[in-house]
Each structure stands twice: as C-alpha cells, then as structure tokens.
C-alpha cells in the first residue's frame, strides 16, 4: 500500500476509552504505552493483530497525527487490514496512515530521495524474470564456466546473490553453507554478482533486494535524509519482528532514531524462517538496541484449549534462549493431546487416514482438519491413503508426489513397463536424452504408437549416430525390465542406474536436494508388491482444486508443511512423522538449527484449537524396504508425564510388504555394503560382473559379463557378492 508522504490531513478525533474497551491487562498495557521503545512478545493466538490495530487507533485518538505514523508489515494484505480496522475505530482521518511492506515503503522513499544514491526517481524495479535474464546475458558475455563445465543456471545464481544480500553475508559463505557442490564456480559467481550490481546501477534498475539495501544505505550514509524521514515518522510500528532480516532490522533502527518511539510485535518462539534470511537474534537484541525498552508479554490465548497450551508451553520451555512466557486460556481444559505411535510409516498413514474418515463421518467439516509435517515428502504415503478412501485434500508447502519434474521422470519409466504405448512417457524420456529435440522425439513416439510391440519396433529404429547409444540403452533397459519378475525396489534401482547420470545433468543446480525426493520415492515404491499397484494408487491422487485462499479449502482436508501453516488454525490437527531423523530434520542435529526445529514443533502444536493428535513410526523404511531405526523424536522424549494420552498401535496396513532384500546388499548395521576393485558381484538385472573402478565413496564401475561397463550408485544398485 503506497500513500503520499507529505499531504497534510485534517486533525484526528477519537475516543481512547472506546478503543481500549475489552482489552486484557497485557494488551491494555501495550496499547496505552507512552513514548519510547516497546517490545510486545505476542504468543500464539493472543490477539496480536487486535493489539496493533488498537495501538494505531489509540495513538491517533490521543493526538498523534496519522501522517506521522509508519506501519511496517510483511504482507500488503496485513497492512490494509490493520489500517481498515483502525479507520473503523477513529474515523476517516486514519486514511493518512502510511503503511505497507518493507519493500513497498522502501519504494516510495527511494522515489523521493533517489538522487542521493545516484538514481533517477523513475528507476525501474525488475522482477525475478528480469533479474534472471540480466544474469543470463552477463554470464554469456563473460563466458563464465569454462569448457566442459555445466555452469549453474541463472535461477540458481540469482538465488545465491539474493541470499547473500538479505543475510548480509558473502557469496562464499552462502555457497559453502548451502551449495557446496557449486564451490568450483565460486569465483565466477562472485564476478557475475559484481557485474550484475554494476549493470543495474548503469541502467537505473533495482531488483527486489535492492529496495531494502538501497534504503538502508540511503538512511545510513546521508544524515540529512535520515533526519527528514525520522522527523516525518515520529511513531513506528512493526509486525512479525521475529521474521526480519539484518537489513530490515537496521532500517527500523535508522528510522526510529532519535526519538525511538518504536513498537515492534512478534514472538521469538515462532521464529522459523531462517532459510529466508530471517534473523532470530533481531527480536532478542531489541532491548539492547533500544535501551530502556519496555517489554510486554501477551500470554492469554484465544484459540486453543488449556491442555493443548500446556503441551506447547512444555515444548518451548526447553528452548536455549528466548523470552519466557506461559500461554493460558479461558476456553476450558479440553481434551488431552493424543500420542499415537505406529508400527511403521505405512501404518502411520493408514491410522491418520482412518481417524480423519471417522471425524468426517461424525460431522466434522473436512476443512477443519489439518495434517502438519516437517517436510513436503512426509505426506506422500498419506496422500495415497486419503485418495484410496475417497477423502479430498489440499496440500500447501512442498509438492504433491507427482508434481516435481524429477519424480515425473522416474515414474515415466515405470509407466512404460505397464503400458508400452504411453506416448507421454515416451516423449518425456526421449527429450531427456542428449541431441534429441521435440521433432525427433515425435517421430520416435509415432513409431512406438503404431507398433504392436513398441520395444521391438524401437530396437530397430534407425537412430542417428549422435543419440544412438543412449537411445538404445533406454530401450534395452525397458525391454529387459518388462516381464523380468523383479520386485519394485529392484526395478527402481535399475532405473536409477540409467537415470542418475541424466538427472545430475538435467538438474545440475540443485540435484542434491532433489535426490532426497528420489530417495523417498524409492522407499515408497518398496512398500508395493508390483509396479501396477503403485501406479494405480498414485493415479487416485485427486486433481488440484481452487479455493485454498486464506488457508480454507471447502470440502478438503488440509495437508501442510508447518512453515506454510504459520498464522493458520484448525479445530483438529494431526502432526505426523515425529520420529528421530525426521523431526527434527537430520541436518539439524545441534546448534541454532536444532532450536529452530523446536520452535517449528511449537508452531505446529499451537495451530490446534480443540483436538491434537501426534504420531510417529516406530520403524522407518530404508532402501529396498529394509527396516531402519525410527522411534520417537527427541522432542517427544523430553515431554513431562501427563501431558498426552497414549493410543495403541493401529492394525497392520492393507498393503503387502516388499520382498526381503538380497542378503549381500546391506552391511552389518544396515549400511550399504562396500566393494573393492576386483570383486565379483551379481546385479538383479545386469547379472554377473566384476568391479573395475571406484568413483568416490558412493559409486562403482562394474564390467558386466553380458551388459558391458556400467557406473552404479551404491544407494540404488542392489549388488551382492558373487
């Protein structure tokens, strides 16, 4: 929302007593605070927005000119809603309030003061597509990457530059921490980032991140501008302060000085967006950055029943640092949260699906049921179970099982084993091969479709020399797998051996992240006795429907990552996969990441109004259906007695388990067996061969007696000693 900065509106009027009527004592203290800095720690469901709105109205009613108040939020919608509600309290005079997102406010201020930093007021704001286009142009002109190297895509380069800017760290630090597989390109990316910066300035362009950085630099480096802006805004209100990044934090401090009439509202216990650049320490340091700041804690919760809050309080009380608070409710004790451990992940999905079905049959509206999880892939099995029971759902955060390109690639191989005439799958696989374009792929697909035996027809296809070998390898793979009698896990492994080299080329920027999805797909397939059953189940996945605005999907159960659920609430909430290695995530074993995982669990708990069900698999599935250690998350193990009611194990799932794995595949302790050069091995598809080379710790090259030389990944190759 953008408003003119220097219009002079009529003086406001209002009734302070009417504005503060109905506030609880802590809210009243925050709303009626006098001059000076104020930190409001607003626990989940404690009326944060109402407190901010009443503070806005109270300031205006008390004589502060509306044009002297600046409201900073994280969404335009939030700012509009708060200003509308304040207007309803004090009348039309509050229309002079200037509020919006950090970026929209920065845009207005930079238009006025652009010349101070070498820009014209008519500078152009580039969108993400523009930024990627510029980076691509510069990359080509600089001839970066070198011969034979797959340089990171423009999308990835822009991601890296943006992360460095928002977190106020170097490009090197971002690459080392988050993209170590791109370390060889570090110097090239640094050079590209510098040329990108110069290009924008030379052409009077600013990208989304520049709006914040340039406003920060403008206020910091030009005292005259800072004095005029801070003189204009005598009172500053900031929402969701726990989500600010270092640049936004500095902007707040620069505008607030020297009066420091700044009120920030947030909850350190709900700081869960460090991956977006949010800095948890901003809200913790507020009293130090603003000496003498008053701190008000909002602890009365208007959302959840008492026993749900008791559980949330217990979880967050073990946080290493933060502002202590104890949420309470006048909504009654309610039901004890239920802890329902299950035998394995398949049983967990079946249990949750059946419980949801019971709730719906008892009259609960589906949209008042939510299933929350740490990572998007955690819901894959549940999606299939819900579809099999005819229960519609909407998923927020992560992707549905078949939405990501790399998953679709692998499933295309499997579809062709069941239906060799599947033109879409043939087309997808052919276009992945080097030197094959759409026209060539169409000709090959036409040949397959016209034949009674597509595999035989394509085996004789007159392929051009440039793509003959990879094409024939694809046909031989599919022809060999079809009717081989191999179990689904073995089929998946054989497919991965052919697909993985293509995969690493197609998704060079972020294949390590995508590989985790493929790992989960392999585990999911391992739970089936045949490929047809797997494909039938995923085909039941309901199509996308509209109507998810504001977290409401009429007639559908909500499946959501916890990050996407923040700010929302439901009567009935399931939190799944609360297992060791799943939640907290494996990569967050200690330090700040571990504490953020704890806060994530707290956010999940406090989404529930009336009923909360926690569940985890006692046993998780590894490659080939091999059982691995699971068990309760450390967050569950820490809970005091009496906070949850424990439900018994659910009945076994209806699906058959996968066949046992070849004994030689796993080393003692469950790890993948290693092989030395010279070892004779047996593969379920390629048969006997000899290890002739090792490529790192995870790959071996095997010379097979009948199929020649193959490079295999030990995570997928079901090799056993000969």
């Amino acid at each position: 929302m953008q408003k003119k900065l220097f219009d002079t509106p009529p003086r406001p009027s209002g009734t302070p007593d009417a504005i503060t009527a109905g506030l609880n004592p802590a809210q009243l203290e925050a709303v009626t605070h006098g001059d000076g800095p104020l930190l409001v720690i607003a626990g989940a469901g404690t009326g944060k927005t109402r407190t901010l709105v009443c503070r806005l109205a109270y300031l205006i009613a008390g004589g502060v000119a509306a044009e002297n108040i600046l409201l900073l939020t994280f969404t335009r919608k939030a700012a509009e809603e708060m200003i509308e509600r304040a207007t309803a309290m004090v009348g039309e005079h509050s229309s002079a309030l200037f509020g919006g997102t950090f970026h929209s406010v920065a845009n207005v201020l930079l238009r006025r003061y652009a010349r101070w930093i070498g820009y014209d007021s008519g500078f152009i704001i580039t969108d993400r597509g523009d930024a990627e286009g510029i980076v691509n142009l510069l990359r080509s002109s600089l001839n970066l990457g070198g011969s034979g190297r797959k340089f990171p895509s423009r999308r990835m380069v822009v991601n890296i530059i943006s992360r460095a800017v928002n977190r106020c760290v170097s490009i090197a630090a971002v690459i080392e921490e988050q993209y170590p597989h791109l370390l060889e390109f570090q110097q090239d990316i640094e050079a590209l980032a510098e040329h990108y910066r110069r290009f924008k300035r030379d052409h009077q362009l600013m990208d989304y991140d520049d709006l914040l950085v340039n406003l920060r630099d403008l206020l910091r480096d030009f005292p005259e501008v800072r004095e005029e802006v801070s003189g204009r805004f005598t009172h500053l209100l900031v929402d969701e302060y726990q989500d600010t990044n270092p640049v936004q934090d500095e902007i707040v401090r620069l505008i607030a000085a020297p009066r420091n009439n700044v009120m920030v509202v947030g909850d350190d216990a709900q700081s869960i967006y460090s991956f977006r650049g949010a800095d948890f320490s901003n809200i913790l340091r507020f009293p130090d950055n603003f000496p003498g700041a008053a701190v008000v804690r909002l602890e009365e919760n208007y959302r959840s029943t008492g026993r749900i809050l008791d559980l949330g309080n217990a979880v967050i009380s073990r946080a290493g640092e933060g502002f202590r608070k104890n949420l309470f409710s006048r909504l009654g004790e309610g039901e004890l949260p239920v802890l329902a451990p299950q035998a394995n992940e398949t049983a967990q999905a079946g249990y949750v699906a059946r419980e949801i079905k019971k709730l719906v049959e008892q009259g609960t509206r589906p949209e008042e049921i939510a299933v929350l999880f740490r990572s998007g892939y955690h819901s894959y099995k549940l999606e299939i179970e819900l579809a099999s029971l005819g229960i519609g759902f909407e998923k927020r955060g992560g992707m549905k099982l078949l939405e990501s390109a790399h998953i679709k690639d692998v499933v295309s191989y499997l579809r062709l084993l069941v239906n060799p005439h599947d033109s879409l799958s043939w087309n997808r696989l052919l276009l992945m091969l080097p030197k094959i374009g759409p026209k060539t792929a169409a000709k090959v697909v036409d040949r397959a479709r016209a034949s009674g035996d597509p595999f035989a027809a394509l085996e004789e296809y007159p392929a051009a020399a440039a793509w003959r070998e990879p094409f024939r390898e694809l046909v031989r793979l599919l022809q060999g797998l079809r009717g081989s009698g191999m179990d689904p896990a073995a089929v998946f492994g054989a497919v991965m051996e052919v697909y993985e080299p293509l995969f690493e080329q197609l998704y060079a920027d972020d294949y390590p992240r995508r590989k985790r999805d493929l790992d989960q797909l392999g585990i999911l397939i391992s739970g089936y006795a045949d490929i047809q059953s797997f494909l039938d189940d995923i085909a039941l996945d309901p199509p996308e429907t509209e109507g998810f605005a504001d977290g409401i999907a009429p007639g559908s159960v909500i499946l959501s990552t916890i990050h996407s659920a923040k700010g929302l609430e439901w009567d009935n909430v399931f939190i799944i996969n609360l297992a060791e290695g799943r939640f907290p995530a494996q990569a967050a074993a200690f330090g700040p990441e571990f504490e953020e995982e704890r806060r994530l669990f707290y956010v999940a708990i406090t989404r529930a109004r009336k009923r909360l069900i926690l569940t985890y698999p006692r046993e998780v599935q590894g490659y080939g259906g091999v059982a691995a250690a699971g068990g309760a998350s450390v967050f569950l193990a820490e809970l005091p007695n009496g906070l949850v009611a424990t439900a018994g194990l659910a009945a076994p799932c209806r699906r058959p388990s996968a066949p046992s794995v070849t004994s030689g595949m796993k080393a003692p302790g469950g790890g993948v067996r290693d092989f030395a050069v010279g070892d004779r091995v047996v593969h379920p598809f390629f048969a006997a061969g000899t290890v002739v080379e090792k490529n790192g710790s995870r790959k071996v090259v095997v010379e097979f007696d009948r199929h020649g030389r193959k490079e295999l990944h030990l995570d997928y190759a079901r090799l056993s000693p000969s």
Side-chain angles (χ1 to χ4, degrees), residues 283-339:
I283 195 167
L284 298 184
R285 288 198 306 257
F286 185 88
D288 297 327
N289 290 333
F290 293 91
V295 178
V296 175
R297 293 170 172 81
L298 304 185
E299 298 176 298
E300 182 172 356
N301 179 283
Y302 296 94
R303 172 190 300 159
S304 307
T305 53
R307 284 171 167 168
I308 292 173
L309 296 180
D310 289 344
L311 180 61
N313 288 332
V315 168
I316 205 63
S317 69
R318 300 185 68 93
E321 56 182 340
F323 295 96
R324 298 302 176 193
K325 57 186 172 300
N326 189 65
L327 297 185
F328 67 94
S329 173
R330 302 178 194 274
L331 300 176
E333 285 191 345
E335 299 178 15
L336 271 175
V338 172
L339 176 61

Side-chain angles (χ1 to χ4, degrees), residues 180-199:
H181 63 292
L182 300 179
L183 279 171
E184 63 174 306
F185 300 107
Q186 178 182 315
Q187 291 184 340
D188 287 345
I189 294 173
E190 289 172 337
L192 186 51
E194 177 57 26
H195 279 83
Y196 177 55
R197 185 189 66 79
R198 293 177 189 170
F199 184 96

Side-chain angles (χ1 to χ4, degrees), residues 468-484:
R468 182 180 301 135
E469 187 50 40
F471 172 72
R472 287 182 175 174
E473 183 178 25
L474 169 63
V475 175
R476 284 195 299 266
L477 170 73
L478 294 172
Q479 195 166 25
L481 288 175
R482 191 184 182 207
S484 66

Side-chain angles (χ1 to χ4, degrees), residues 395-410:
K395 185 171 180 181
R396 171 173 285 189
M399 282 188 163
K400 284 189 178 181
L401 182 61
L402 294 179
E403 284 181 345
S404 51
H406 48 295
I407 297 293
K408 290 180 179 178
D409 292 344
V410 174

Side-chain angles (χ1 to χ4, degrees), residues 490-567:
V491 171
F492 175 77
V495 167
M496 285 303 302
E497 288 153 14
V498 172
Y499 174 66
E500 188 174 28
L502 298 170
F503 163 69
E504 293 186 0
Q505 293 174 20
L506 291 167
Y507 308 104
D509 292 340
D510 59 352
Y511 70 84
R513 177 188 63 80
R514 290 175 182 260
K515 183 179 178 297
R516 291 195 292 270
D517 293 340
L518 294 174
D519 294 343
Q520 293 303 315
L521 181 65
I523 291 170
L524 182 59
I525 290 173
S526 296
Y528 288 82
D530 59 82
I531 296 295
Q532 181 71 68
S533 298
F534 169 73
L535 294 176
D536 286 348
D537 269 358
I538 63 175
L540 292 172
D541 199 20
E544 285 288 337
T545 56
E546 297 182 358
F548 205 77
D550 300 321
I552 300 174
S556 296
V557 173
I558 308 303
L559 309 185
S560 178
T561 62
I562 301 167
H563 286 101
S564 296
K566 185 173 178 292

Side-chain angles (χ1 to χ4, degrees), residues 66 71 163 274 336 355 463 503 510 570 612 686:
L71 171 65
R163 286 178 186 271
S274 64
L336 271 175
E355 290 298 306
F503 163 69
D510 59 352
W570 296 271
L612 177 65
F686 299 121

Side-chain angles (χ1 to χ4, degrees), residues 49-58 81-82 85-86 89:
T49 300
R50 183 186 184 193
T51 303
L52 262 172
V53 168
C54 289
R55 175 65 175 174
L56 280 172
Y58 186 84
E81 178 187 342
M82 290 181 197
R85 289 172 62 177
M89 290 183 178

